[in-house]
Structures are given as structure tokens and as C-alpha cells.
Amino acid sequence: MVQAAAAAALSHRARNTVILDLRGLASFTDFFVICSGISDTQIEGISNAILEELEDKWNVRPWHREGDREADWILLDYIDFVVHVLLDERRDYYNLERLWAEAPTIDVPDIEGTEYDEYGEAYDALADEVLDDDDDFDGLVADDFDKEVYSDSD
């Protein structure tokens, strides 16, 4: 179920998604799913995707939820695991991975069309698709979310 939550986050372009195994380190939960986004709208979308996935396919709702619209950190507590969806700036500031550095990581499931760059950030492989030679553009690359950057073929 924790991997399903991570996959749901990735399906909404969550950045740097990690799963920390806290068993043996903490008594309040077994796992953390930590991911981030670039706007409050995106982190709300990511958290809603996780909520829907776990309710629809696993028939489970969070025991507790913190953070709502225009929040920079949304927490979904499913007792056995806790999901943290943060703005990039908040994630850098609180650095949960450093606080739980002793926790081993669990592989994050790969979803179709998602690849990882050299920094471990997910990106959409389809966004890097090269256009036909007849087009005026050399390639199409997704920059963050909805921005598209075009480069001339000259």
C-alpha cells in the first residue's frame, strides 16, 4: 500500500519521491513517503491523487490529515505509514531525510512513462520526444510542469 501511495504521487509529477523504512527506528509508524511539488496547487493535487488511489483501490482512508488548500505541507497519516507532500522550499528547510538518515529507503515503484534523471528526479520521458525533421523545432522538453521550452534546430 505504501508503494501505491508513492506511485499515485508520481502519477501527478511529484518530485524526488522517497520511501523511508522506519521500522525499528520509530514506534508511531512504519514508513514515511516523502515527495514534493512546485506549487500549493500541485501538492494539493498530489495529495488528492494519493487519497483517491488508496480509497478506490485499497478501501482505506487516512486516520488523520493536516494541511489544506494553499498549504505548503500536507500530511496524510494512515497509521502504518505517513505521507508528507511538501513544497520544494519546505522540504529543503525541514529536510526530513536528514532527520531520519538512519532509515533505509524502499524502492519507489516505476510508473509507465516515468524515468529518473541523474539527480533521481522523476521526469516524463514522453516530454522529451523529438519532433519530425519538417518541424521548426529540434525537440520538446518539459520544464517543471506546464512550461514548454523549444530550441531552434539551427
Side-chain angles (χ1 to χ4, degrees):
M1 192 173 355
V2 70
Q3 289 184 321
L10 287 174
S11 75
H12 277 68
R13 296 185 185 219
R15 300 163 57 100
N16 301 319
T17 303
V18 296
I19 302 171
L20 301 180
D21 185 347
L22 301 178
R23 295 175 292 187
L25 297 174
S27 60
F28 60 90
T29 193
D30 292 336
F31 302 96
F32 273 175
V33 176
I34 305 170
C35 60
S36 54
I38 61 171
S39 70
D40 56 351
T41 303
Q42 184 189 16
I43 67 167
E44 184 180 352
I46 293 167
S47 67
N48 286 338
I50 295 166
L51 289 166
E52 290 172 13
E53 171 73 16
L54 296 182
E55 187 171 342
D56 292 349
K57 296 194 176 146
W58 295 85
N59 198 31
V60 63
R61 292 182 181 169
W63 173 73
H64 184 71
R65 177 184 176 156
E66 290 185 26
D68 285 316
R69 292 176 187 244
E70 299 180 21
D72 52 5
W73 186 342
I74 296 177
L75 180 141
L76 304 172
D77 186 348
Y78 287 93
I79 299 175
D80 291 335
F81 64 96
V82 177
V83 179
H84 299 272
V85 186
L86 303 94
L87 281 177
D88 284 336
E89 298 83 27
R90 286 289 175 241
R91 184 172 184 176
D92 291 342
Y93 181 79
Y94 289 105
N95 201 352
L96 295 174
E97 292 96 325
R98 181 185 53 78
L99 292 174
W100 294 97
E102 294 178 25
T105 59
I106 304 292
D107 288 336
V108 175
D110 230 356
I111 61 171
E112 188 175 327
T114 301
E115 294 183 11
Y116 299 91
D117 65 14
E118 63 270 18
Y119 305 106
E121 292 188 12
Y123 71 92
D124 188 346
L126 298 177
D128 289 336
E129 182 177 313
V130 176
L131 301 175
D132 294 334
D133 291 334
D134 296 332
D135 293 326
D136 292 334
F137 306 109
D138 184 57
L140 173 66
V141 179
D143 179 25
D144 293 326
F145 244 77
D146 297 321
K147 298 178 188 173
E148 294 176 344
V149 178
Y150 297 93
S151 62
D152 294 328
S153 56
D154 296 311

